Amino acid sequence: MKIPAMKRRDFLKVGGGVVAGAAVGITGTNVGNNLGAGGELAAVASSRGLTGAEARAALTSVVPPGKYDPFFMFASGGHSGQISIIGIPSMRLLKIIPVFSRDSFSGYGFGTDVDGVIPRGSDPTKSNLLSWGDTHHPALSETEGRYDGRWLYVNDRANGRIGMVDLADYKTKQIYDIPNIGSAHGGVFVTPDSEYAHVSSITPRPITDNGYAPLESYADLYRGFSSWCAIDQTTGHLVPEKSFQIELPPYNQDLADMGKLASAGYGFLNSFNAELSVGMSHKNPPIEIGAAKNKYDYLHVIDWKKAEKVVAAGKIIMRNGIRVIPLQVAISEGILHFIPEPKNPHGVEVSPDGNYIVIAGKLDPAVTVYSITMIKKAIEDKNFEGTDRYGVPIIPITAVTAAHVELGAGPLHTQYDGKGNAYTSLFIDSAIIKWTLGPDAGVTEKPFTVLEKIPVHYNIGHLAIPGGDTVAPVGTYMVALNKWSLDQVQKLGPQHPVNLELFDINHTPPRVLSSLPLGGSEPHYAQIISVDRLNPLTVYPPGTSPETMAKSEFATASGQERIVRADGFVDVYATVMRSHFTPEQIPVTVGEKLRIHLTNIETAENATHTFAVPNHNLQATLDPGETVSVEFTADRVGSFAFYCAQFCSAMHMEMYGWLLVAPAGA
């Protein structure tokens, strides 16, 4: 598909000319040190060739040094396997959190305590070691349907895993490799009080003992799964023994959302490929054609509260270490119902009050709005139009549809501003449509009416508004997560950065403020939280293990440094501070196994150090107060100068020591 480059929006231009003080709105106004009154700001804008709207946007979005953003955006990194934290409205990239992929800057994945997360989160039946992932949908933990700033979860679309990040120190503490699913696009989405993190399989897998079945048996032997991963309310960790799955037909289950308020207790899960297309062969079309044959696919309506009771009653089977509600039990117990939805849908988003479920179909120019009141009534009345081939009851689409709102080409995802308005992205049109919800959301004037078409640059996927998928959105800013940048950045080789655009949606029409070309990652979904909901540590209590967030048994204070040989190991208890290691010499013999326990005994904020060992692929990063352990075998003879890779002080070049590996018998 050839995508033409769009011109700059007309509504950004002020007569096409350079800025005058009146256009910027600053002439005669005291800005800072009277720069506005003196015309200096207007002169700066003029020298840069800025229009009035561009200069106004720059002043509106700037966050000067020493001042802070009121919001953080947590954005997935796609196949970088990471999470990015971006300040709003500054659009500054503030931090990268590695989750599924190793990261030498943070020392993540190179042998320290917390980095045992990666091997522990790799099912050996999938791979000996999964050291990359494809992060798609981050989910902040919630209390009463509002972000609470405790934890963050994100899926690995490639490998069917969930990563858990502790927002006390912004570090990944757990990777859970979910049984029975291969790849997982539809998640993570948390329930309103963080009881569960939900993720579903996008590509069904065989339910055979060895995980293989020929595609000729696809309808009979392949299944999808809706996974409800229980969250420990103290640690935020996922608890497999308290988790469960619901077996689903072998459709491609896609994005989901959790019910809230009026729809609390329900989960809503999109699907496509009700045709069960498996790809091109001598008699079958390609998947993209075969999976778009039917007029409708199925919205899965899951009563997870009822599912909890069924699990508690023991109406489950164990499959690969997790409790599973079989498909026929889910049907007979009234846990699973289907509603036809326009074919090949993508986004499903529940309105802040929980009354509406909005479905965007990639191949339908409209969004379909379902009513939870009508859904509940249809289920209660058993108003069904038959079943699918597996026996799942189908609710008539006409019985539950509140509206069908035509928006444009390629609708994907919807966010809400808390004022009765919805914003839906249009991939093909490179635009966002602002439209109104209906009476159940308190909209009495012009319900389900298109208000604005907001151009973006270009080909938007997801979008994000502060709290825009919670019960309490803050309709101030909106970020478009665009997939293409084209003419928005200078050429940087064949691959361009993606382009994130920031809008002021307090203004009518919404105004673009700035953009962030982002190289090195491809955000799919993002959530924006007010920073006053976050309460991170500044330093760890002395000797803290980041894995347990308690004092480590290997914590070492100044004066307690030592080397101990016992049980076939050389245990080194070391301290790190500006600008030296203690001990500075670690003598061993080739073949000995080392466990180096490092404690950063600094108490000053931001006094981070590292322990880097040349030629050994070891790099540990230690924040102030942190204790980590590195374990390896001294498998080569030599003198290796370990050092601190962090520029921590004026004497950082002197901050090194020696790992001395002597030949056998020396």
Side-chain angles (χ1 to χ4, degrees):
M1 176 176 61
K2 186 176 181 181
I3 302 168
M6 295 174 62
K7 296 181 179 179
R8 293 289 288 175
R9 312 185 248 296
D10 290 338
F11 72 83
L12 282 181
K13 296 185 178 294
V14 181
V18 297
V19 160
V24 187
I26 58 175
T27 296
T29 303
N30 188 358
V31 179
N33 295 321
N34 295 313
L35 293 179
E40 200 166 330
L41 283 179
V44 170
S46 178
S47 70
R48 296 287 306 278
L50 302 179
T51 67
E54 291 166 340
R56 183 192 301 109
L59 289 174
T60 302
S61 60
V62 68
V63 178
K67 296 186 178 180
Y68 308 119
D69 288 289
F71 300 101
F72 283 169
M73 181 167 73
F74 290 86
S76 66
H79 45 283
S80 74
Q82 301 168 332
I83 293 287
S84 297
I85 303 178
I86 298 165
I88 304 294
S90 71
M91 296 297 280
R92 296 180 295 199
L93 178 60
L94 301 176
K95 190 178 183 73
I96 293 174
I97 304 172
V99 182
F100 299 110
S101 302
R102 301 201 306 175
D103 176 65
S104 58
F105 177 76
S106 65
Y108 180 75
F110 290 90
T112 59
D113 277 348
V114 174
D115 306 326
V117 168
I118 290 180
R120 286 196 300 271
S122 299
D123 183 341
T125 65
K126 293 182 179 179
S127 172
N128 290 332
L129 180 65
L130 292 170
S131 59
W132 80 281
D134 187 4
T135 54
H136 269 230
H137 296 95
L140 290 158
S141 57
E142 296 182 11
T143 299
E144 296 181 347
R146 292 172 168 83
Y147 303 146
D148 57 29
R150 293 180 293 168
W151 311 301
L152 176 74
Y153 304 90
V154 69
N155 68 315
D156 175 3
R157 189 258 191 258
N159 302 301
R161 300 180 294 172
I162 296 181
M164 174 262 171
V165 176
D166 191 338
L167 294 181
D169 58 359
Y170 291 81
K171 293 182 180 179
T172 301
K173 300 300 176 65
Q174 182 189 25
I175 295 173
Y176 176 38
D177 202 328
I178 305 167
N180 302 316
I181 68 175
S183 56
H185 183 252
V188 177
F189 297 92
V190 299
T191 51
D193 283 301
S194 301
E195 300 95 338
Y196 298 98
H198 175 269
V199 68
S200 58
S201 52
I202 190 167
T203 45
R205 294 186 75 193
I207 51 174
T208 57
D209 290 340
N210 62 5
Y212 169 79
L215 290 176
E216 288 78 9
S217 302
Y218 186 85
D220 297 324
L221 296 181
Y222 283 70
R223 292 291 183 269
F225 289 90
S226 167
S227 303
W228 299 81
C229 303
I231 297 173
D232 184 298
Q233 296 303 302
T234 300
T235 66
H237 284 227
L238 303 172
V239 187
E241 58 270 22
K242 294 184 179 180
S243 304
F244 65 90
Q245 292 179 323
I246 302 168
E247 182 184 340
L248 302 173
Y251 311 133
N252 292 74
Q253 282 81 29
D254 197 5
L255 292 185
D257 201 4
M258 295 300 106
K260 53 180 75 80
L261 297 179
S263 51
Y266 287 90
F268 303 95
L269 177 57
N270 267 342
S271 72
F272 63 94
N273 195 17
E275 300 85 352
L276 304 186
S277 174
V278 295
M280 187 164 55
S281 68
H282 67 282
K283 61 180 180 179
N284 295 323
I287 292 174
E288 64 179 300
I289 296 174
K293 180 181 177 182
N294 295 345
K295 185 176 181 180
Y296 293 107
D297 286 289
Y298 296 123
L299 173 65
H300 296 36
V301 179
I302 297 174
D303 188 332
W304 65 264
K305 285 289 189 181
K306 188 173 289 186
E308 279 187 320
K309 295 176 182 177
V310 169
V311 171
K315 298 178 182 180
I316 51 95
I317 61 173
M318 295 299 298
R319 180 172 286 155
N320 296 316
I322 192 170
R323 300 175 296 179
V324 176
I325 300 174
L327 176 57
Q328 294 307 314
V329 174
I331 294 169
S332 64
E333 294 289 338
I335 293 170
L336 178 64
H337 295 88
F338 286 165
I339 303 173
E341 54 186 355
K343 64 182 179 181
N344 296 74
H346 196 42
V348 49
E349 286 89 13
V350 179
S351 63
D353 51 26
N355 281 301
Y356 295 119
I357 301 95
V358 176
I359 306 296
K362 301 187 292 288
L363 302 179
D364 186 338
V367 291
T368 304
V369 184
Y370 299 106
S371 162
I372 188 59
T373 301
M374 299 166 77
I375 291 172
K376 288 179 178 178
K377 186 176 189 307
I379 293 173
E380 181 181 356
D381 295 344
K382 299 188 182 303
N383 180 10
F384 306 135
E385 57 179 11
T387 69
D388 79 331
R389 71 179 73 192
Y390 298 96
V392 180
I394 300 172
I395 301 170
I397 189 172
T398 54
V400 294
T401 300
H404 199 64
V405 187
E406 189 162 334
L407 302 181
L412 293 181
H413 304 289
T414 300
Q415 291 266 287
Y416 306 96
D417 65 5
K419 304 171 186 176
N421 302 311
Y423 296 75
T424 299
S425 58
L426 302 180
F427 179 82
I428 296 174
D429 274 355
S430 288
I432 297 169
I433 298 295
K434 177 181 178 181
W435 54 282
T436 59
L437 293 170
D440 288 348
V443 178
T444 56
E445 290 189 23
K446 298 181 178 180
F448 305 117
T449 299
V450 171
L451 300 178
E452 302 282 352
K453 184 174 184 178
I454 309 160
V456 301
H457 297 84
Y458 302 98
N459 298 100
I460 180 174
H462 279 281
L463 67 166
I465 290 172
D469 58 1
T470 72
V471 300
V474 181
T476 51
Y477 300 107
M478 177 175 65
V479 177
L481 280 67
N482 303 330
K483 296 300 184 184
W484 293 54
S485 55
L486 297 178
D487 59 353
Q488 297 300 289
V489 297
Q490 290 177 303
K491 298 299 179 279
L492 295 163
Q495 186 182 43
H496 295 192
V498 297
N499 187 45
L500 281 58
E501 283 186 287
L502 176 71
F503 291 85
D504 172 8
I505 59 173
N506 266 332
H507 189 269
T508 302
R511 298 190 293 205
V512 67
L513 298 179
S514 65
S515 66
L516 172 62
L518 193 61
S521 66
E522 184 203 353
H524 287 259
Y525 186 52
Q527 291 183 327
I528 303 175
I529 183 174
S530 174
V531 296
D532 62 14
R533 305 291 291 175
L534 299 163
N535 187 30
L537 295 168
T538 52
V539 298
Y540 289 104
T544 296
S545 163
E547 183 176 22
T548 64
M549 297 301 280
K551 189 165 185 176
S552 170
E553 61 179 305
F554 305 114
T556 305
S558 179
Q560 297 179 348
E561 300 89 353
R562 61 202 183 276
I563 299 177
V564 179
R565 280 178 165 81
D567 301 323
F569 286 94
V570 179
D571 283 292
V572 181
Y573 296 84
T575 60
V576 185
M577 68 173 296
R578 286 166 291 184
S579 293
H580 61 273
F581 297 91
T582 306
E584 288 184 328
Q585 297 178 18
I586 303 175
V588 297
T589 301
V590 67
E592 287 193 296
K593 296 179 180 179
L594 280 80
R595 293 185 298 209
I596 304 178
H597 312 293
L598 300 138
T599 299
N600 182 346
I601 59 175
E602 301 269 11
T603 59
E605 185 175 343
N606 201 40
T608 296
H609 298 291
T610 81
F611 177 74
V613 185
N615 310 127
H616 282 73
N617 206 34
L618 290 172
Q619 205 297 97
T621 297
L622 298 97
D623 293 323
E626 183 176 4
T627 295
V628 300
S629 295
V630 176
E631 183 174 335
F632 64 100
T633 298
D635 58 0
R636 71 200 70 183
V637 173
S639 299
F640 305 98
F642 58 81
Y643 71 104
C644 176
Q646 186 88 14
F647 195 142
C648 56
S649 74
M651 300 291 285
H652 77 283
M653 296 297 291
E654 287 75 16
M655 189 172 177
Y656 72 95
W658 292 97
L659 171 64
L660 303 167
V661 184

